[in-house]
Amino acid sequence: MELLPHGYTNHTTHHAGVVTKTYRGRDAQRRMSREAAALCGLETLGAMLPVPQLIGCTGESLSMTFLSGLHGQDMIEAGWAEEVLAACGGALRAVHSVDVTEVFPRARRGSVIVHGDFGPNNMLLTADASRVTALLDWEWSHAGDPIEDLAWCEWIVRTHHPEHLPALDGFFDAYGHRPHWPARHRAMTDRCRELVDFQPHRVGLLIATEGWTE
């Protein structure tokens, strides 16, 4: 049994090609149900959006197929920021191009599938970052506005990889749109407020984000 790295809220293990994710913290059941619904809805998309296949569900955990690849944040630290963030942009464009009703049948018109925690933190890639091999952790997914994922990927880079901010140009170029800064900043702070409600000890992240300028 292997404990998978980069998990901060839940307990995720891998054994014999099966990943078991046990949900912890507030709204664990709701987050598990969201991820299960997203994986089921996206399963038929195959290589267009490489997501794990749902295998089973217990009272507190999901089991899904193991997908191989190198973690996006590890690759950024290894010097592949431009390639990784360009791949992020292309992958997000694909996510937002999917018919939202495939996953959320009651979605309002004009909404998209929002991953909810999108960025290199939830992406696996090939060794040269030319191809995304897995998009992970759909527990925050919902129908919403594209700017939520665009702004959050930027937030991940600003928070964890500030030295690579110039590489965000490639992210937005690959996606095909860069919303104006006030809208992106507002989306970041709104999401941080949600995180503080979920984990109050993270209030410092909200304070820091509120002070950002482009």
Side-chain angles (χ1 to χ4, degrees), residues 27 136 165 211:
D27 292 334
L136 308 172
L165 281 179

Side-chain angles (χ1 to χ4, degrees), residues 82-92 118 123 125 129-132 170 174:
E82 292 185 2
E83 294 83 356
V84 169
L85 290 174
C88 282
L92 187 58
F118 185 85
M123 185 176 294
L125 303 101
S130 63
R131 182 171 60 87
V132 175

Side-chain angles (χ1 to χ4, degrees), residues 32-154:
M32 183 179 74
S33 296
R34 279 188 180 182
E35 183 148 25
L39 294 181
C40 288
L42 295 170
E43 182 179 358
T44 60
L45 297 175
M48 177 183 173
L49 278 180
V51 300
Q53 180 180 356
L54 185 64
I55 297 173
C57 177
T58 68
E60 60 180 11
S61 64
L62 296 182
S63 58
M64 59 199 87
T65 54
F66 175 80
L67 297 179
S68 61
L70 300 178
H71 192 271
Q73 287 192 281
D74 291 343
M75 294 191 72
I76 289 177
E77 293 299 330
W80 293 83
E82 292 185 2
E83 294 83 356
V84 169
L85 290 174
C88 282
L92 187 58
R93 185 180 66 247
V95 171
H96 290 173
S97 297
V98 173
D99 181 355
V100 66
T101 60
E102 292 288 332
V103 178
F104 304 104
R106 298 182 180 180
R108 62 174 174 79
R109 187 174 182 178
S111 62
V112 301
I113 297 173
V114 172
H115 179 277
D117 191 13
F118 185 85
N121 52 313
N122 282 319
M123 185 176 294
L124 302 180
L125 303 101
T126 55
D128 61 357
S130 63
R131 182 171 60 87
V132 175
T133 62
L135 292 172
L136 308 172
D137 291 345
W138 293 83
E139 64 188 271
W140 298 103
S141 60
H142 60 278
D145 192 302
I147 199 171
E148 296 180 58
D149 282 337
L150 286 164
W152 196 246
C153 185
E154 179 175 356

Side-chain angles (χ1 to χ4, degrees), residues 148-163:
E148 296 180 58
D149 282 337
L150 286 164
W152 196 246
C153 185
E154 179 175 356
W155 186 91
I156 292 293
V157 175
R158 284 177 172 269
T159 300
H160 299 287
H161 313 284
E163 69 277 19

